[in-house]
Amino acid sequence: MSTITTIEDFSNEIFYEIFEYLYGNDIYEAFSILNSRFQQLLHCPFLQYKIRLDDRLIKQNTVDELKQISHVIKNYIFSISIRPWRPTTEIISLCNFDSSYQNLHCLIFNINQPNIILLILPKLTQLPKLYSLTIENIQKLKIICKIYPLVLNLSKLKYFKIETCCIDLFADHSLPIATHEQSSSIEHLIIEHYCSVQELVNFLYYTPKVHHLKFSIYEDKKTHLNLLSLNHLRHLTSLSIEMCSLKFDKFEILINQFKFHLKTFSLRIWSRNENYLNARRWERIILQNLPQLEHFSMKYIICFQNDDQSSLHSDKSNEFLTSFWLQRQWLLRIEMIHDFIIYIVDAYKKQWFEYDRQEQKIYSVEELSKSRQLIINNISVEILNNIHNYMNYVLSVMQIDHLVIKEEIFVIQLAEILCLLPELDSLEVSMISFVYPRQVTLDEMIKIFCSTTHIKISKLRVRKINKIEEINFFLAFCPLIKQLEINKLPMINVEFFLRPLLIQIRNKSKFQNLRLICIQLPTADDKMILKLKQMIQDENLLVDFKIKRNEEKIFVEWK
């Protein structure tokens, strides 16, 4: 076989693959001036150029160059993404869309001058293959109501997404009735702004072919949901809804209108109506109205207040652990972010400590029933100071088996949390601190160990440690640990870290329950594995053990 020594020896097919990762204006600028071979390559009918007009990518003096590029390769442009970087007149002149854009499939507008959109949209009817249109960063809802009728005139459109950054979520006339009867070809519709239910239904009347639908609604007390009709949406298979302050009873009436062939259903709720956590009502709704449902996910979000009571669920077990939910592997987990508590129901995903489990392996009912997870992420100081009320509110819904803390946490606060979680089996922490916000005293450390004798944690993952002593603390703090994973070691040799741990295990002085150590190292390779294996054998640190590498992770396991 001959050896390729210059880039010109690459086949055209290789260049086509390279060009897939580049914007069209960069391709043209880099290759058009090389030689005739590349000039011919740039006009190959197989090429699909992606053009991006962005003030972060384009210099002041390149407007004329872009116009020239657009003129030369206009037939080959597949997508154009436009962001504000010039006065209105220049944007319009640069985007003089007409039928000569024969292969333009996708347009993305992120323009904070909404009148420009109204000027451009009528021109898009001339594009013979415009299948995808995205309009972002709309700041005036009054402009939105003018955009929709123009979009309905795009006869080839299959995908439409509109997004607003408007603060006034509930402004009137966000979704108008179209001016005349027409049927759109849109199949994938994403409406990223709030509208009333009635406004939504009015617009959906013109999109009978939609099969993927996402929208955001708020409660409109004037609308009689029982009188709505969505019988024409017979192709709808995927539905995503974001709701604000809609009571569950009214939501149930609404979802009855979508009981055709839904296979995917996603829901995001901002409300304090805890009926959304009634698993048995959900079970009845799905069985009666959504019998073909394959994928279900829900996020129920509340802002926690110090006077919140936990009486609603205090005498109930987690009802999302019945056979209905376990058979489908749709499980409940809870996440704390800032002052919000998010209850999430979705498909169970393989956990970090299931390192030897195949992705497609079927989970038993017993395994799934012990997969109750809590994630703590960037919660406020006020919440940390009142962590007992916060955790009691969470525990009124379900006990916790797996805890994930995604931020650095003070060791005393960590101990307080663990004392409230008697069922905890696994713990994942980012970092722990013994000195911030203050230095931990010896008396406090003794108190921590005395107060956590009930801890049953058997699996521990630490994202980052600053000192080896931190791992010794964890292993003493949680003496039942069987699996230990460390994602980032301090600047030390991996042998220097492993050796003292394994010596203590060999001498039966500490850590007798530990059976697996996993260390993530960017420099891990087969040579390192051989070196570690030789060290363990030569020093007789372990007898019956296995060591292997999976990409950056090193696993040492023994019996």
Side-chain angles (χ1 to χ4, degrees), residues 14-15 46 104 182-183 240 261 329 332 334 356 358 395 398 406 416 468 492 504 516 530 550:
I14 292 178
F15 281 108
F46 295 110
L104 182 57
Q182 56 193 142
S183 180
S240 178
H261 308 289
Q329 297 189 20
L332 173 67
I334 302 175
D356 59 347
Q358 298 298 319
L395 293 171
M398 72 175 185
K406 292 189 174 182
E416 290 177 357
I468 298 180
I492 59 172
Q504 293 182 81
L516 172 69
L530 291 174
N550 185 354

Side-chain angles (χ1 to χ4, degrees), residues 187 208-212 232-238 260-261:
E187 297 177 357
K209 297 181 180 179
V210 66
H211 55 75
H212 282 73
H232 62 289
L233 300 180
R234 302 190 180 279
H235 301 283
L236 188 64
T237 59
S238 176
F260 302 112
H261 308 289

Side-chain angles (χ1 to χ4, degrees), residues 194-312:
Y194 276 92
C195 58
S196 71
V197 177
Q198 186 64 64
E199 290 170 335
L200 175 71
V201 172
N202 290 340
F203 184 72
L204 292 179
Y205 179 78
Y206 300 97
T207 60
K209 297 181 180 179
V210 66
H211 55 75
H212 282 73
L213 174 61
K214 180 179 181 181
F215 59 83
S216 305
I217 57 171
Y218 61 89
E219 182 174 6
D220 179 10
K221 295 181 180 180
K222 298 178 181 179
T223 302
H224 298 287
L225 297 179
N226 285 316
L227 301 178
L228 300 178
S229 175
L230 294 170
N231 292 330
H232 62 289
L233 300 180
R234 302 190 180 279
H235 301 283
L236 188 64
T237 59
S238 176
L239 178 63
S240 178
I241 306 176
E242 180 167 343
M243 301 186 306
C244 185
S245 302
L246 188 69
K247 293 182 179 179
F248 191 82
D249 292 341
K250 291 190 174 182
F251 163 75
E252 190 170 357
I253 296 173
L254 175 64
I255 201 62
N256 285 343
Q257 308 296 326
F258 292 94
K259 57 183 179 182
F260 302 112
H261 308 289
L262 277 189
K263 295 185 177 180
T264 301
F265 182 34
S266 176
L267 188 63
R268 184 181 180 95
I269 311 112
W270 299 82
S271 174
R272 295 190 68 83
N273 187 331
E274 291 181 320
N275 283 324
Y276 283 102
L277 293 178
N278 190 320
R280 298 196 180 278
R281 285 187 70 174
W282 272 112
E283 181 177 341
R284 177 175 53 79
I285 290 172
I286 293 172
L287 290 175
Q288 291 181 0
N289 300 317
L290 308 171
Q292 301 183 43
L293 198 63
E294 298 174 358
H295 307 284
F296 174 73
S297 64
M298 177 181 70
K299 288 187 177 182
Y300 170 71
I301 306 167
I302 66 168
C303 183
F304 180 76
Q305 300 170 0
N306 286 333
D307 58 351
D308 280 338
Q309 300 298 315
S310 56
S311 58
L312 178 64

Side-chain angles (χ1 to χ4, degrees), residues 501-544:
L501 277 179
L502 297 181
I503 287 175
Q504 293 182 81
I505 293 172
R506 181 193 63 186
N507 296 339
K508 298 184 178 182
S509 58
K510 290 182 181 179
F511 322 137
Q512 289 307 295
N513 291 289
L514 194 61
R515 291 294 179 270
L516 172 69
I517 297 176
C518 173
I519 302 173
Q520 183 170 332
L521 289 173
T523 57
D525 56 19
D526 292 340
K527 184 177 179 180
M528 182 179 292
I529 297 297
L530 291 174
K531 187 176 181 181
L532 290 173
K533 183 178 181 180
Q534 193 68 44
M535 178 195 76
I536 295 172
Q537 290 175 337
D538 290 348
E539 300 180 27
N540 197 26
L541 299 176
L542 295 171
V543 179
D544 191 359

Side-chain angles (χ1 to χ4, degrees), residues 111-237:
I111 299 177
N112 57 12
Q113 302 175 59
N115 289 325
I116 298 177
I117 295 292
L118 298 180
L119 291 172
I120 292 177
L121 282 175
K123 299 176 180 290
L124 303 186
T125 58
Q126 302 179 53
L127 301 177
K129 294 183 179 180
L130 182 63
Y131 299 138
S132 175
L133 174 64
T134 300
I135 301 175
E136 302 171 338
N137 200 27
I138 298 296
Q139 298 180 356
K140 295 181 180 180
L141 287 178
K142 290 184 178 180
I143 295 294
I144 287 181
C145 70
K146 297 179 181 179
I147 287 176
Y148 280 101
L150 297 174
V151 169
L152 289 173
N153 289 326
L154 303 176
S155 60
K156 302 293 184 181
L157 204 62
K158 301 293 184 183
Y159 175 98
F160 177 55
K161 176 182 177 181
I162 185 165
E163 178 184 306
T164 179
C165 57
C166 182
I167 299 175
D168 186 8
L169 298 178
F170 309 125
D172 291 334
H173 309 303
S174 56
L175 268 176
I177 300 176
T179 56
H180 59 280
E181 287 193 21
Q182 56 193 142
S183 180
S184 170
S185 60
I186 294 174
E187 297 177 357
H188 200 134
L189 175 61
I190 301 176
I191 300 174
E192 295 276 10
H193 65 82
Y194 276 92
C195 58
S196 71
V197 177
Q198 186 64 64
E199 290 170 335
L200 175 71
V201 172
N202 290 340
F203 184 72
L204 292 179
Y205 179 78
Y206 300 97
T207 60
K209 297 181 180 179
V210 66
H211 55 75
H212 282 73
L213 174 61
K214 180 179 181 181
F215 59 83
S216 305
I217 57 171
Y218 61 89
E219 182 174 6
D220 179 10
K221 295 181 180 180
K222 298 178 181 179
T223 302
H224 298 287
L225 297 179
N226 285 316
L227 301 178
L228 300 178
S229 175
L230 294 170
N231 292 330
H232 62 289
L233 300 180
R234 302 190 180 279
H235 301 283
L236 188 64
T237 59

